[in-house]
Amino acid sequence: MNPGEQVDRQSRILDAVLELLSRHGISGVNMRAVAREAGVALGLVNYYYADKPSLIRAVLNRIGESDMRLVTPDPEAHPDEQLREALRRVAGPEILTTPYLSLRLHLWALAQADEDFAVINAEAFDQYLDGLATLIGNAKPELSREACKQRADDIVVVQNGMWLTSLLGIDKAAIQRSIARTEQIAFAD
Amino acid sequence: MNPGEQVDRQSRILDAVLELLSRHGISGVNMRAVAREAGVALGLVNYYYADKPSLIRAVLNRIGESDMRLVTPDPEAHPDEQLREALRRVAGPEILTTPYLSLRLHLWALAQADEDFAVINAEAFDQYLDGLATLIGNAKPELSREACKQRADDIVVVQNGMWLTSLLGIDKAAIQRSIARTEQIAFAD
DNA sequence: CGAGGTCTTGAACATATGTTCAAGCTCGGC
DNA sequence: GCCGAGCTTGAACATATGTTCAAGACCTCG
């Protein structure tokens, strides 16, 4: 067994779903394609995940976890810096790549088409908003919780716009200006 | 034949695709479902549209046309009012409804998954940006074309964010504040 | 009426996809 | 060695979906 590469096939299956979802959307995710991409036999996918909805659910939950890390601050840093850091991370190189954004888009579309997935998605979104509001509260203790949530709402509108518009291929400079706009909203007096 | 209702079956087929796409995403759009939704026989869909990609293309082109109407101004109004009107229209009741936004989202996802559709989509997006930049130029003649395009870019980021975030169920007030933000960008000195 | 074109239908076919399952494989413990 | 539990495989089945097509309905013009 190749060390460090031929690992855990269950997790390779989830990776395969992410890859296919990002590249071809939900219609490109079928059990055979997943198996091929993961390099396992068809039956193994159904061994770990009873059916296709279970498989998709598992993927959604995994993504929700990694999203939360975006607003999980470095505890060493100053609150101001934590917030600024978080606001920049969403336009960082790992996030602002086509594969990741494409994945996000397909996830949103999926949530729109399926009630169960919508619930998972909405929950993750709320947690993200909450995390962001907390960061703002730490950086600007004089603001009420309500005011923090309001700013978080406003920021998320711009952030989602940045993500979506990046995919449509807008000028990179517009993205930089939009990041500045989020900081302006967050730190306004 | 029922007057004013049993019209043009070819156009009813396109309507059916829009409806299905909005509600169930691209995986919900199959020839049988389209025929059922349109109230025609299966064969008729393939009679008007040679194959599925042709059908989707026809739908995309139809949507592109209706998008352009968003930035096509009322020629009677003052340039300032034309621009303000356009900025408000994108958050108007016809646009900011779940069915329309859901449709938009699925279209973006579709473009992301398929190269051909991406081209149609990118073209429509460019035309929209161009139309918006022109409106800005009319309202603020002192700005260079470059400056107008830059503002259009910034505005579209926020607009796309409004659309997307509306779907995720954010507070309506955040949308209103975001509209104000787009006007602020457009009319800044 | 009747010929000819267009429109409309649903059965039929080929292929794709989700799911099941019997069989084989692997590996640790006895 | 060999037993058993978990892991892995691919064939097989049922259903779904895109496409084709022969047949019929409808409508216009002569």
Side-chain angles (χ1 to χ4, degrees):
Chain A
M1 194 177 281
N2 272 342
E5 191 264 325
Q6 203 70 348
V7 284
D8 186 9
R9 286 147 101 87
Q10 184 166 9
S11 134
R12 285 242 307 273
I13 290 173
L14 291 186
D15 289 342
V17 175
L18 287 177
E19 178 68 21
L20 289 170
L21 198 50
S22 164
R23 275 212 310 259
H24 308 298
I26 189 62
S27 23
V29 180
N30 62 70
M31 302 309 246
R32 265 160 261 257
V34 169
R36 201 178 325 123
E37 179 80 25
V40 303
L42 173 60
L44 197 64
V45 182
N46 276 303
Y47 174 77
Y48 284 118
Y49 303 97
D51 50 19
K52 197 176 164 180
S54 307
L55 175 60
I56 305 292
R57 258 195 305 276
V59 168
L60 259 56
N61 286 326
R62 182 199 252 205
I63 293 173
E65 289 163 22
S66 79
D67 273 359
M68 277 314 289
R69 280 197 283 279
L70 282 177
V71 286
T72 302
D74 167 14
E76 306 296 320
H78 186 273
D80 260 33
E81 219 28 66
Q82 286 181 12
L83 175 54
R84 217 177 290 274
E85 184 57 36
L87 293 179
R88 287 184 183 163
R89 213 164 342 181
V90 303
E94 329 99 86
I95 300 294
L96 226 59
T97 59
T98 308
Y100 180 86
L101 293 176
S102 182
L103 177 61
R104 276 242 80 79
L105 186 57
H106 289 300
L107 288 176
W108 283 322
L110 197 54
Q112 213 34 236
D114 183 299
E115 181 57 36
D116 287 347
F117 301 152
V119 172
I120 301 179
N121 211 49
E123 207 162 303
F125 180 60
D126 280 346
Q127 283 181 9
Y128 177 83
L129 265 178
D130 227 59
L132 188 52
T134 301
L135 284 183
I136 295 174
N138 292 344
K140 299 194 66 85
E142 72 273 21
L143 290 179
S144 72
R145 181 72 190 169
E146 251 338 284
C148 291
K149 282 193 83 66
Q150 180 166 318
R151 289 189 183 193
D153 283 355
D154 287 4
I155 288 170
V156 164
V157 170
V158 181
Q159 283 182 343
N160 281 340
M162 286 164 45
W163 287 357
L164 185 53
T165 317
S166 292
L167 270 182
L168 303 181
I170 210 175
D171 186 20
K172 285 274 181 196
I175 302 300
Q176 290 309 314
R177 292 194 299 274
S178 297
I179 296 176
R181 208 178 306 283
T182 60
E183 295 187 8
Q184 197 180 310
I185 297 171
F187 290 103
D189 290 322
Chain B
M1 194 175 278
N2 272 342
E5 192 263 325
Q6 204 69 346
V7 284
D8 187 9
R9 288 147 99 87
Q10 183 167 10
S11 134
R12 285 243 306 275
I13 290 173
L14 291 186
D15 289 342
V17 175
L18 287 176
E19 177 69 21
L20 290 170
L21 198 50
S22 164
R23 276 212 310 260
H24 307 298
I26 188 61
S27 25
V29 180
N30 62 70
M31 304 307 247
R32 263 161 262 259
V34 169
R36 201 177 325 121
E37 179 79 24
V40 302
L42 173 59
L44 197 63
V45 183
N46 276 301
Y47 174 77
Y48 284 119
Y49 304 97
D51 50 19
K52 197 176 165 180
S54 307
L55 175 61
I56 305 292
R57 257 193 305 277
V59 168
L60 259 55
N61 286 325
R62 182 199 252 205
I63 293 175
E65 289 162 21
S66 79
D67 274 0
M68 278 314 289
R69 280 198 283 279
L70 282 177
V71 287
T72 301
D74 167 14
E76 306 296 320
H78 186 274
D80 259 36
E81 218 29 65
Q82 287 182 10
L83 176 54
R84 219 177 287 274
E85 184 56 36
L87 294 180
R88 286 183 183 163
R89 213 165 339 180
V90 303
E94 329 99 85
I95 300 294
L96 227 58
T97 59
T98 307
Y100 180 86
L101 293 176
S102 182
L103 177 61
R104 276 242 80 79
L105 185 57
H106 288 302
L107 288 176
W108 284 322
L110 198 53
Q112 211 37 233
D114 182 298
E115 180 57 35
D116 287 348
F117 302 152
V119 172
I120 301 178
N121 211 51
E123 207 161 304
F125 180 60
D126 280 346
Q127 283 182 9
Y128 177 82
L129 265 178
D130 228 58
L132 188 52
T134 301
L135 284 183
I136 295 174
N138 291 345
K140 298 196 69 85
E142 71 274 21
L143 290 179
S144 72
R145 181 73 191 167
E146 250 340 282
C148 291
K149 282 193 83 67
Q150 179 166 319
R151 288 188 184 193
D153 283 357
D154 286 6
I155 288 170
V156 164
V157 170
V158 181
Q159 284 182 342
N160 281 340
M162 287 164 46
W163 288 357
L164 186 52
T165 318
S166 292
L167 270 182
L168 304 181
I170 210 175
D171 186 17
K172 284 275 182 196
I175 302 298
Q176 289 310 315
R177 292 194 298 274
S178 297
I179 296 177
R181 207 177 307 281
T182 60
E183 296 188 6
Q184 196 181 312
I185 297 171
F187 290 102
D189 290 321

